[in-house]
Every structure is written in structure tokens, then in C-alpha cells.
Amino acid sequence: MVGSQDTKTSAQAAPKPRGRPRSFDRETALEKAVMAFWEHGYEATSVSDLTRVMGIGAPSLYAAFGDKRALFDEVVTVYGARYGSFADRALAEEPTARAAVERMLREAAAEYTAPGRPHGCLVIHAATNCTSPEVEASLRERRNANIAAFESRIRADIASGELPPGTDAAALARHTGAIIQGMSQQARDGASREELEALAEIAMSIWPRT
């Protein structure tokens, strides 16, 4: 009888389960979502596509990430930190706007053609044929913020005498943005790293010098 009482006491003392544990690795699933949106864009990537590539059911997707739009917002943040940060690093680390843009274009040629993942830039490509005004506006704001950052560095170089006083900072910044966006599309169309590096070299040849 003592053994039976011990068993009963032990069962009473056992902690209750806290709920069904998540049956997938969130970071792994999120990385797969990054690749799906990067490859196909926002509009063409459906929830069923996402659940298939992420290996989870729709209830798990909604529970872990929210709806498709919320997941995409997180994807863009992850993409920016993991794959798109080379531009910010170049602007932060190089001593001049010219050096920063030259490095940025060179690294874009490598990043946009890296094997084993989609080519080009997610922030540029994901807006293609997008019918969601909120998503389109969000991506446009990110691209315009990059151009504004270029312009700020260029203006700083004009003020310091690194660039001629008559330099059109806004036009030069937009030229840089156009080259980056063009390189992304060229990479998706099959341009090689070497071809994009040659394009970057030509783009830098128009930069004014003191």
C-alpha cells in the first residue's frame, strides 16, 4: 500500500505541461520565407507557397509570424541585416562618398550574383507587379532612404572640398541609386559578377573630381 501511495503522490507532484511546443525552428522557417519572397516577389508569393517552402501549416505561420504582410515586414528586416547591409557598411566605414559608392557597387556585383540564393536585391525586386499600396510604399521608402543617404554623404564631401562646389548632389545620388537598381535587374537577367563589376567601373568614371 505504501508503494501505491508513493505513486499517487508522485503523480500529483508532476508538473503540468505548459502547452504544445512549437514543432518547427522559427529562424529556419523565416530564412526560407526570405528566399521565397526574394525569388518571387511579394505579390507572386502566396500563403500556400510560404507554408510549403517553410514546412509548416497555415495556423503555425499565423501564430508565429502573423499574416503575410507581417511576415514580409520581418523578412525585409532580416534581409537588410543579413544580405543588404553592405551599402550601410560602406557609407559608414569609407572616408569619402566616392570611396563608399565604389566599394558599394563592387560589393553589390558580388552580392547580387552570389551562388546558392536568388540574384539581385529583394527590396528592389519584391515590389515588381505589387498591387498592395502599403507594401509598395514601404519598399519605395527604403529605396528613397538609401538615395537620401547617398546624397547626404555627397553633400558632406562638397562641403569639405572633396568634391567640386558645383557638384549636383541630388543628381549624383540618384545616379548611384539607378546604377544599384539596374545592377539588381541585370543580375536577375543573368549578368555575371564580372559584367556587373565592369558596369560599376564605368559608373564611377563619371564622378567629378576636384
Side-chain angles (χ1 to χ4, degrees):
M1 295 297 294
V2 174
S4 299
Q5 182 65 32
D6 288 346
T7 301
K8 181 178 180 182
T9 303
S10 176
Q12 290 174 339
K16 294 180 179 180
R18 297 184 177 180
R20 185 178 179 182
R22 183 176 288 148
S23 60
F24 67 95
D25 181 85
R26 191 180 191 280
E27 288 305 309
T28 299
L30 182 57
E31 177 67 11
K32 291 178 179 178
V34 171
M35 295 299 152
F37 281 121
W38 194 352
E39 177 65 33
H40 303 292
Y42 179 80
E43 197 68 32
T45 305
S46 66
V47 171
S48 61
D49 293 331
L50 291 166
T51 57
R52 177 175 49 80
V53 300
M54 296 167 77
I56 60 177
S60 294
L61 186 151
Y62 290 125
F65 301 102
D67 60 11
K68 175 183 170 181
R69 169 67 196 282
L71 171 59
F72 181 70
D73 287 343
E74 188 169 352
V75 158
V76 171
T77 299
V78 169
Y79 170 84
R82 196 169 295 168
Y83 301 105
S85 60
F86 64 90
D88 290 337
R89 288 197 305 270
L91 289 172
E93 296 171 4
E94 294 300 324
T96 66
R98 180 189 179 89
V101 171
E102 187 170 17
R103 169 180 162 180
M104 182 174 56
L105 296 183
R106 184 176 65 252
E107 293 186 2
E111 292 291 336
Y112 290 171
T113 59
R117 65 190 196 214
H119 286 176
C121 171
L122 180 149
V123 175
I124 295 169
H125 174 63
T128 304
N129 298 323
C130 183
T131 60
S132 170
E134 296 84 4
V135 171
E136 189 176 23
S138 174
L139 295 174
R140 182 170 59 248
E141 286 171 7
R142 285 178 175 270
R143 295 191 299 271
N144 286 336
N146 288 337
I147 293 174
F150 304 156
E151 184 175 346
S152 177
R153 284 301 307 272
I154 292 167
R155 289 192 183 281
D157 278 11
I158 295 171
S160 68
E162 184 68 32
L163 288 171
T167 300
D168 188 334
L172 193 55
R174 288 211 167 271
H175 173 265
T176 301
I179 293 298
I180 282 282
Q181 292 171 23
M183 289 174 70
S184 173
Q185 185 58 53
Q186 287 288 310
R188 293 191 68 85
D189 288 344
S192 67
R193 174 177 177 175
E194 291 74 21
E195 288 170 329
L196 295 183
E197 287 174 341
L199 173 61
E201 186 175 345
I202 292 173
M204 294 308 302
S205 70
I206 66 99
W207 270 64
R209 296 180 180 274
T210 52

